[in-house]
Structure formats: C-alpha cells, structure tokens
Amino acid sequence: LVGLNPADCEFHFLERAQRLEMYGVDLHIAQDADNDELMLGVTHSGVCVFQNKTKINSFHWAMMRKIGFKKNKFFLYIRGVETNADPSVVGFYLPDYRSCKILWKRCVAHHTFFRQRLPPPPPSLNGFMRFGSKYRYSGRTLTMTVDHGKTTVRPDYQLQRPPSKRFQRRSDGGYTSMRATAAKQRAVAAVANGTDKEAEAAQMNGTHTPRPRTPEPTTTDSPPKPTEVYDEGYFKEESDKVEENYPEESVLRNGLLKIKFMADSEGRFGFNIRGGEDQKETVKISRITPGSTADQTVPRLEEGDVVEEVNGTPVAGLAHGGIVELIRTTRLQSDPSLVLIIR
C-alpha cells in the first residue's frame, strides 16, 4: 500500500478483507452435545461452525430444509441425499432462550436477503389463532437492492478528500529521508576513518530537508487539492534550497549520533517511541509531530531511528514505561535539554 493515496488504500484493504474466512460472519456462542465450546456463524451462504477460530463445518442454505429452536436448543434440519429421505437434525445448545431466538432471527434475515427475490408476504390469520413466532424479514432483498441501484438516478458529484497528516509526511519521506540517511552514513563513516577532508566533504554534501509543515487553513470551505500538497517538483525544489551540516560534537563513533534539544513552552518534545524490554522490541522513534522541537533538530531526528541512550542512560534492558519516564523527568532537571544517542 506504500505510495497509494488513501482512497486506493481503502479499496485494496476491503478487497483483501472480503477474502478472509471471518469476514461478514455474525458469530454466536454455542455448545455441541459433548459440551465443547463452539461459535455458530451466520453468513451469506449459510451457517458455519467454528472452534478455536477455525471453521470445522458449514451448512449451506440449499442443504437446509428447516431451521428451528426450542428453549435453548437450536436445530438445523438438513436435507437427505435421497429425494424422499427424512432430514437429519443437527442440534446445538445456546446459553439461553433469548440467545437462541436471536440466532434464529439472524438466520431468517440472512436467508431472505441473500436467497429470496422478494420478502415473504405477511401471513393471513383468517380468523384463526396462530401459534409460533410472527417474525418476518420485511426489508429489501439483495436482488431488490441491486435493481433499485440500477434504476435510481444519482447526482454526479466530485468527492474532494483531504489527505491525512501521516500520508502527507510519508509522501515527502521517500525523497527527503533517503538524502538525510545517506548524509548521516557519509558523515559517520568519514569521522570513523579519521579523515578530516572526507568528513568535511560528507558534511557539505549531506543536505537535509525539513519535513513539510501542515498547510495553513484557507478561507474557502473546500479542502486542498491533492496536487497542491503532493507535487513532487515542489519538494525537490525546496530540498535543493536548504542545506544543513552536522556539528562535530553530534557525530560519534560506531555509527552513533548525538541529538540534543529542549521541550516546547508546553513541556512537550514532540515525538513518540515504541519498544522496550517488556515489548521484546528495539526502542525506536515511532512518530514525530510536525513543527515540534523534535522536528527541528540538527542532526535531524527521523522516524525509525534506534534509540541507544536517553540522557546518558542506556535503554537496553529497560521497560517501555521506564524509558518514557526518563524522557519526562528531563524537564525537572537543572539542564532541561534532552540528549538522545541514536543509531
């Protein structure tokens, strides 16, 4: 999905989701005759039986002759192989009478909607008392809905969809992040080799582009057009104008960088982390808020950077909550600057 706009991402997501085994399944808790925990799922094709989230059996609507229930027992009457053979009965136990009736109603509604062209007409009493449930599905069926959509004239309108902030940051990341990462690697390699000329050349060639800021709101009600935000030439033109060099004290050996910055007026640094000993994951920068102090650091702090130390304390072996607390307590120290060692 990388590189697609949000509308195409949602289309591909739904296309993939409908292929999943549990997509569109209405689940109900049940038990079999051996008191084993099961889940009965009502779908467009019939009733499925799940155990431990795995489908173990299915009964299609065409196989069923009747569906019924009595108290908390739910029954499926399956047609026999031969024409005049008696139907076989498959029974399940539900928690109570109410749950059993709800499952029966779901089956009636699904069968009518997906299998019938028209909903059944209401029964005529003819002056006689009638026993049993009066429930009937009275809405449109699938066939009626499709026919109605074909004959209904809908107004043609253009949907203007504003992009999300995450997609906006990712759109520029493909060009900017490669230049920033390459500059980091050249500068670190030059210092590690101890060659001043190579370090100076790497610093001069290592240009960086600030992340695109969120566009200022306009007076019009219409959202910005995608082409006004994602024009590739715009970002390349801006990236050629801005050049930043790494300070010597920020480049450490062994491929590490030292980044020092302070919180804003509200006491926020503007970035999130994920990982830790309790999460069994390397500590990394997961998100950077556009326009925050973390977004304006030199060297530049990037999403995905691995955090090695926080204020001189190694994060290896620390839980996620402990690392967050280290960052928060920075504001209470005599020097409120946050120092990160990243890789």
Side-chain angles (χ1 to χ4, degrees), residues 45 62 78 84 88 97 129 139 191 213 260 276 286 313-315 319 331:
S45 60
I78 310 301
N84 298 326
S88 58
Y97 166 81
M129 185 178 295
V191 173
R213 304 296 184 259
K260 183 177 181 181
S286 60
T313 303
V315 299
R331 297 170 293 183

Side-chain angles (χ1 to χ4, degrees), residues 82-131:
E82 299 180 1
T83 305
N84 298 326
D86 294 333
S88 58
V89 182
V90 180
F92 301 93
Y93 292 92
L94 272 73
D96 49 34
Y97 166 81
R98 184 65 179 171
S99 302
C100 204
K101 189 171 184 178
I102 290 176
L103 174 58
W104 177 79
K105 286 184 175 181
R106 295 289 192 276
C107 292
V108 172
H110 276 68
H111 178 268
T112 306
F113 179 80
F114 290 104
R115 298 281 295 181
Q116 303 291 331
R117 293 186 58 86
L118 298 174
S124 58
L125 299 179
N126 295 328
F128 295 97
M129 185 178 295
R130 184 177 181 275
F131 298 95

Side-chain angles (χ1 to χ4, degrees), residues 207-246:
T207 58
H208 309 284
T209 305
R211 288 182 177 85
R213 304 296 184 259
T214 304
E216 295 293 331
T218 58
T219 56
T220 59
D221 295 334
S222 61
K225 298 180 180 179
T227 54
E228 297 176 355
V229 180
Y230 306 124
D231 184 35
E232 184 179 2
Y234 167 78
F235 291 114
K236 287 188 176 181
E237 181 181 357
E238 291 295 322
S239 62
D240 292 336
K241 292 180 181 179
V242 182
E243 294 188 0
E244 298 175 357
N245 296 326
Y246 292 139

